[in-house]
Amino acid sequence: MRLDFGRIALRFLGMASVTAVTALSVAGSATAGEQIFDELRFGVSTSVQSGHSREDGVFPEITALFDPFGYDAAVGWQQLLHPRIHLSTSIGTSGEATQFFTGFTWTVDFNEKLFTEAGFGGVIHTGDLEGDSDGPELGCRVLFHEYLGAGYRFTRNWNVMAQIAHSSHANLCDGPNDGMTRAGLQIGYKF
């Protein structure tokens, strides 16, 4: 019996990040006047790839957004100069890859209700590196991660966003590079 300690560690990291986000949100609400998160999002995505690189199942997602650069104070297109930082996990079901990713998020408001978003950063994952089963062959554990989204705000606090996200190594490491492309919806709560 062969144990893949990297896969075990990354699954643990995914579960730990879910626990940390939940615990920090409870702690943040208990501390009066101190805000840990700018926004929390919960959602689900699915693979939009075809052929052997398609992933089965759905992927529950949790994202925490932080505002260390003053996004909330920026207006209009100046928001692009003030990205937020995201910390996220996408949990694999049906034996597919779990991802833990972080990076920068740029959000631009078109008006009070409509917004668009782009994110760029890095990801570590539990997916297959070489082709020993169905699903994408990813080549290395650390990948680039980018996404685009469009959203609608119901209120000042609640929003919904559709997004498409891609992770791959851009041929910067040896091995296959099928990448992972997923699309889905997220419900957000802005503090």
Side-chain angles (χ1 to χ4, degrees):
M1 180 174 167
R2 184 177 157 253
L3 290 176
D4 184 347
F5 289 104
R7 182 179 290 242
I8 293 168
L10 288 172
R11 285 188 190 256
F12 175 77
L13 185 58
M15 290 185 291
S17 65
V18 169
T19 303
V21 166
T22 303
L24 287 173
S25 66
V26 170
S29 64
T31 306
E34 287 189 32
Q35 180 177 314
I36 296 174
F37 304 116
D38 183 53
E39 185 174 343
L40 284 176
R41 294 182 181 158
F42 301 90
V44 65
S45 65
T46 189
S47 176
V48 294
Q49 291 176 216
S50 60
H52 81 88
S53 61
R54 179 169 178 73
E55 297 174 281
D56 295 327
V58 296
F59 302 90
E61 297 183 351
I62 299 171
T63 300
L65 291 151
F66 305 88
D67 185 16
F69 306 118
Y71 161 78
D72 278 337
V75 177
W77 293 101
Q78 287 195 356
Q79 292 171 323
L80 291 174
L81 301 174
H82 303 276
R84 293 184 290 171
I85 294 175
H86 64 263
L87 181 64
S88 305
T89 188
S90 180
I91 302 165
T93 59
S94 303
E96 300 295 350
T98 292
Q99 298 182 70
F100 180 75
F101 47 97
T102 188
F104 295 100
T105 295
W106 292 269
T107 307
V108 173
D109 297 328
F110 292 116
N111 57 41
E112 285 184 9
K113 298 290 186 184
L114 299 175
F115 65 95
T116 189
E117 199 165 272
F120 180 78
V123 63
I124 56 175
H125 66 88
T126 62
D128 291 330
L129 301 183
E130 302 284 330
D132 57 350
S133 65
D134 282 341
E137 300 172 14
L138 301 169
C140 54
R141 279 287 160 227
V142 178
L143 307 173
F144 292 106
H145 181 81
E146 59 275 345
Y147 75 90
L148 293 172
Y152 179 82
R153 288 187 185 90
F154 297 105
T155 67
R156 179 188 149 337
N157 300 103
W158 290 99
N159 65 70
V160 64
M161 184 176 73
Q163 74 173 21
I164 187 161
H166 178 74
S167 300
S168 68
H169 62 69
N171 295 320
L172 295 177
C173 71
D174 292 334
N177 188 25
D178 289 340
M180 293 177 277
T181 304
R182 299 172 180 173
L185 289 173
Q186 292 191 347
I187 301 293
Y189 183 83
K190 185 160 176 44
F191 293 92

